[in-house]
Amino acid sequence: MYGDDATIERILTGAGDTWAVVGLSDNPERAAYRVAAKLRRLGKRVVPVHPKAETVEGEQGYASLTEIPFAVDVVDVFVNSALAGDIADQAVAIGAKAVWFQLDVIDEAAYDRTREAGLLMVMDRSPGREIPRLGLG
């Protein structure tokens, strides 16, 4: 397991309220869209990061993390595991406080690098499942 309950709760309640969701588009059938809705209900600002830079639920999208012109607290990653390590490295570079790899997004080297850089890190878990499990929303 990559992320204990204390780390999960710390990310969800204390790491900050601006979440960049990498892989979020305006397609309500996608898991990223549903998780983003749960994060918004928890009071988070959800910033879409997608190659198309689509606006989602009124929030301007960006093609990459480095294009976001304001601070991001948490980077939530909905991409193929082969791409996730680069996203984690970008999260470190932009000064994020935490990285969250979604279910089935696994890169152990990126997990280790991100934690060694001092960020909170959860991997192969979903905030959409963890929020109700921990009674947070």
Side-chain angles (χ1 to χ4, degrees):
M1 184 154 71
Y2 302 97
D4 57 41
D5 284 355
T7 300
I8 290 167
E9 189 166 351
R10 202 161 150 215
I11 292 172
L12 290 169
T13 64
D17 291 331
T18 302
W19 285 54
V21 179
V22 181
L24 176 60
S25 70
D26 65 356
N27 182 347
E29 301 301 315
R30 306 287 300 182
Y33 191 93
R34 293 187 303 274
V35 168
K38 286 185 180 183
L39 290 168
R40 280 193 292 281
R41 285 193 299 273
L42 199 61
K44 307 301 181 189
R45 177 183 185 186
V46 176
V47 181
V49 179
H50 190 279
K52 294 180 183 176
E54 297 173 311
T55 297
V56 178
E57 296 292 324
E59 188 71 47
Q60 169 65 49
Y62 298 90
S64 71
L65 290 174
T66 58
E67 292 180 16
I68 300 173
F70 47 83
V72 169
D73 300 310
V74 181
V75 176
D76 190 5
V77 182
F78 281 90
V79 299
N80 183 290
S81 296
L83 304 173
D86 183 53
I87 301 297
D89 294 341
Q90 289 177 39
V92 171
I94 67 166
K97 298 173 189 163
V99 174
W100 192 304
F101 283 5
Q102 286 294 320
L103 291 171
D104 300 322
V105 179
I106 299 170
D107 181 330
E108 292 184 12
Y111 179 84
D112 292 341
R113 281 194 314 273
T114 303
R115 290 175 44 117
E116 287 169 10
L119 280 70
L120 298 168
M121 177 73 177
V122 172
M123 182 167 71
D124 194 26
R125 305 287 285 270
S126 172
R129 293 181 180 182
E130 299 303 322
I131 290 167
R133 186 181 71 78
L134 295 173
L136 300 175

